[in-house]
Amino acid sequence: MGFADSQKKLMEDVLAGAISRRSLLKRAAVLGVSAPVIASLLAACEDDDSDDSVDDPDPAVDTDDDEDPVETDDDPVDTDDEDDDEPIDDPDEDDDDDAAEAPSEAGGGGRLDLLWWQAVDIINPHLAQGTKDFDASNVVYEALAYTGDDGQMIPRLATEVPSVEDGTVDEDGMWVEWTLRDDVYWHDGEQFTAEDVRFTWEFVADEATTATTFATYEMIDDIDIVDDFTIRINFREQTPGWFVPFTGGNGLILPEHLFRDYVGAEARNAPYNMEPVGTGPFRVVDFRPADTVFYERNEEYWDEGKPYFDTVEMIGGGDATSVARAVIVTGEGDWAWNIQVEADILDSLEEQGDAGFVHASPGESCERLMVNFADPWEEVDGARSEPSTEHPFLTDQLVRDAIKLSIQRDVIADQLYGPGGVTTANNLNAPEWVVNEDLSWEFDLDAAAELLDEAGAEDTDGDGVREYNGTPMFMLYQTSINSIRQSNQEIVQDDLNSIGFDVELKAVDAAVYFSSDAGNPDTYGHFYADVQMYTNGPSNPYPVNWAQRFASWEIAEQANAWAGENPNRYASDEMDDVIRAMGTEMDPDEQESLFQEMNRIATEDGVEIPIVFRTGVETVANDLAGYNPGPFRSDLWNIGDWYREE
């Protein structure tokens, strides 16, 4: 069944009274039905299904729907009605979406197979470079709280979420007080206490650790241990982001008793980077870097009745198409992550098999072209792309503007991403209030060529390649190996070459490209290329730490083991001032203006050229339940809740 047919079937079910409100929300989110249409369908559904729990806040909806689509008019899942070749079909023709009740006892669920086409190479979330490493860590470690579907915090290792009303958040944003659970134990039997929380900050804050999460904790001045299960975090300056440290994927807490001897320069030598000991629902029993992580159920897990699965295997490698096929067609996997696969291929897979389905969830990431402001070809003390160097032509605004005009975002979005992405002129697209509606994009090769002429870049020898101050405009364009990204590269390469660039493509194995190994020259952090492409998104709904990627003090370089948040080596006093103001501004209207200003500067300066705002796309076994991916959190943030329906 094609996309248009699936939408028609959904409409027919609603009008016939054959579908519940909950089922409607789930199926509409997957099918990408626009918000206004969903609103009208909900009205019809409520009229015809008054016995369903319409008046209930419906927490079960949150189990599978990552964001109420009625509330998200700009949800990237929404697509034009004429896109009849969309690959995401109705996952459940028989309307069995109403999940069975979750198991009340832990264990007995057998094995859960997770397929990540990027393999894990470290299980320490504060030294991780790629999403796959953060995800693997989320199975073992836990944070104080996580961001829910409605943007509100959900406590985990904390007993409750602090608030001004309860006197646990300073109304001036200078401190926050968290109360911790007193029934949590590390996998080795030691009790989790406030010492562990404070230590995690000390571990990350030590610059010699070169933690990749440093920006998340930089706002902290000190942490007072009030008692064994209460901490007060004191901030350097007033901050609206009091909830940023120790929450979500960047907030996972490390055991002080094991890591205390591995702070600073010794951090990457800790054996627990490969043999983690956490508080989470599963514990690692074997880890084969760049291959597979084997987990078993934590029988002493503090959350009674969880987890359901006995073992978990997180298998890395392959490609997005093969892992999608393993779930949908052969049934060899239960969950496949980040399915960047062409629309027609996904459509074909769903026609071939019925073991699983394609699941779309609200996204927060933007696929973008990143510009190197340093010289990737000049060596300084054994390293390249050092910030002390200057790119021979990409530091010219006219050249960057020409590149911006040379990217066919609509073609890339429509032909390659389908329901998995929409064009955007903003680098940061979530939460919605950060989007600068005044920004736009344009594709115009003639205008791009004129800008290069204005910059003085000419083809003086007739070989089709322009020279800038005598330097041929050669660019190495790198990204990770993925069929969509390689197709994306080729489209951009053809257009840039047509106006006088000489673009060479490089595709790096994802396990290498997103590696945390400082000795690996092919990581995105080293950025030994002229331009590169990948995606990431904010880890919380006040994404001031994400904005650090444009901060001059976060430039990645040899001195910080290439762990800085700013791989572009970009520095701007104007941008630095905006980012600093974000960290202390308490007025919501001013916060909105600052984030939109950040988007404007980044886009106009051509630091990172946004191409596609991506929806989360996964493939899921038909009998798997309890998952809840969404913005600002790992797919595996609630893996303790996952179970298999009978």
Side-chain angles (χ1 to χ4, degrees), residues 261-511:
D261 295 328
Y262 299 98
V263 180
E266 288 297 309
R268 294 179 186 271
N269 297 324
Y272 309 105
N273 296 335
M274 302 296 173
E275 302 170 3
V277 175
T279 59
F282 295 95
R283 54 193 300 161
V284 171
V285 292
D286 188 18
F287 174 32
R288 302 170 188 172
D291 187 353
T292 305
V293 188
F294 299 86
Y295 306 87
E296 68 180 7
R297 180 169 63 88
N298 175 11
E299 295 184 0
E300 305 300 324
Y301 188 48
W302 59 267
D303 197 351
E304 188 176 354
K306 299 176 184 179
Y308 167 73
F309 287 101
D310 298 307
T311 61
V312 176
E313 291 189 14
M314 188 174 183
I315 304 168
D319 56 68
T321 301
S322 64
V323 298
R325 179 182 293 110
V327 173
I328 297 174
V329 180
T330 66
E332 298 172 282
D334 295 304
W335 180 277
W337 160 85
N338 190 23
I339 303 303
Q340 291 188 63
V341 176
E342 290 87 342
D344 58 342
I345 294 177
L346 271 183
D347 201 18
S348 174
L349 290 177
E350 290 206 298
E351 290 177 358
Q352 295 174 41
D354 59 2
F357 62 93
V358 178
H359 179 271
S361 55
E364 74 280 345
S365 299
C366 174
E367 200 83 29
R368 54 198 182 272
L369 186 72
M370 304 174 187
V371 174
N372 195 342
F373 282 68
D375 190 340
W377 310 109
E378 180 180 345
E379 188 170 302
V380 178
D381 296 330
R384 293 183 280 139
S385 290
E386 285 294 281
S388 60
T389 67
E390 185 175 292
H391 196 280
F393 54 84
L394 289 177
T395 51
D396 190 320
Q397 181 71 57
L398 291 171
V399 175
R400 299 196 302 276
D401 287 345
I403 294 174
K404 286 190 288 185
L405 288 169
S406 304
I407 299 178
Q408 299 185 68
R409 304 178 211 208
D410 53 349
V411 171
I412 292 170
D414 294 343
Q415 293 186 5
L416 304 183
Y417 289 88
V422 294
T423 61
T424 180
N426 285 261
N427 277 293
L428 182 61
N429 294 269
E432 291 182 15
W433 55 267
V434 305
V435 174
N436 189 325
E437 300 290 352
D438 292 333
L439 296 176
S440 61
W441 66 272
E442 181 183 3
F443 174 69
D444 189 333
L445 290 178
D446 291 336
E450 291 177 2
L451 288 174
L452 293 179
D453 292 340
E454 185 180 346
E458 300 178 351
D459 177 10
T460 60
D461 55 12
D463 65 352
V465 179
R466 296 175 186 256
E467 296 88 37
Y468 182 94
N469 291 337
T471 301
M473 298 185 75
F474 167 82
M475 291 198 301
L476 180 62
Y477 177 11
Q478 71 175 15
T479 189
S480 61
I481 294 176
N482 172 273
S483 60
I484 287 185
R485 284 185 172 153
Q486 271 65 81
S487 297
N488 190 335
Q489 281 182 304
E490 291 168 2
I491 293 172
V492 174
Q493 178 191 41
D494 287 346
D495 288 324
L496 289 176
N497 285 351
S498 73
I499 60 172
F501 287 95
D502 178 14
V503 179
E504 179 182 317
L505 304 182
K506 179 179 179 179
V508 184
D509 183 273

Side-chain angles (χ1 to χ4, degrees), residues 42-213:
L42 276 173
C45 182
E46 291 171 0
D47 287 342
D48 292 331
D49 195 11
S50 57
D51 292 334
D52 200 44
S53 54
V54 174
D55 295 329
D56 188 80
D58 210 350
V61 172
D62 291 340
T63 301
D64 292 316
D65 295 329
D66 310 295
E67 210 169 37
D68 186 345
V70 176
E71 298 293 323
T72 55
D73 294 340
D74 296 326
D75 192 321
V77 175
D78 293 346
T79 53
D80 295 333
D81 291 340
E82 63 260 29
D83 288 339
D84 295 336
D85 60 348
E86 300 282 4
I88 297 185
D89 291 339
D90 184 352
D92 198 341
E93 291 290 330
D94 299 323
D95 193 27
D96 290 331
D97 327 40
D98 288 301
E101 185 177 347
S104 59
E105 296 184 2
R111 190 178 75 199
L112 174 68
D113 290 319
L114 307 174
L115 307 181
W116 259 240
W117 53 271
Q118 295 177 11
V120 177
D121 67 1
I122 191 170
I123 313 180
N124 182 330
H126 302 291
L127 301 179
Q129 289 279 19
T131 302
K132 35 82 175 183
D133 302 322
F134 284 102
D135 288 338
S137 299
N138 268 270
V139 182
V140 179
Y141 292 112
E142 297 179 293
L144 296 187
Y146 297 82
T147 304
D149 296 338
D150 57 0
Q152 301 300 307
M153 303 304 296
I154 301 171
R156 178 77 63 85
L157 294 181
T159 60
E160 60 185 1
V161 177
S163 68
V164 173
E165 292 75 19
D166 290 341
T168 48
V169 175
D170 177 37
E171 62 180 10
D172 295 321
M174 291 300 297
W175 55 263
V176 60
E177 192 169 284
W178 290 89
T179 300
L180 314 179
R181 299 186 63 93
D182 61 4
D183 57 352
V184 178
Y185 292 84
W186 297 98
H187 294 159
D188 62 0
E190 291 288 322
Q191 188 165 27
F192 162 75
T193 71
E195 291 285 352
D196 298 303
V197 182
R198 179 183 168 85
F199 170 78
T200 299
W201 163 62
E202 294 173 337
F203 177 89
V204 173
D206 190 315
E207 292 188 3
T209 298
T210 63
T212 54
T213 56

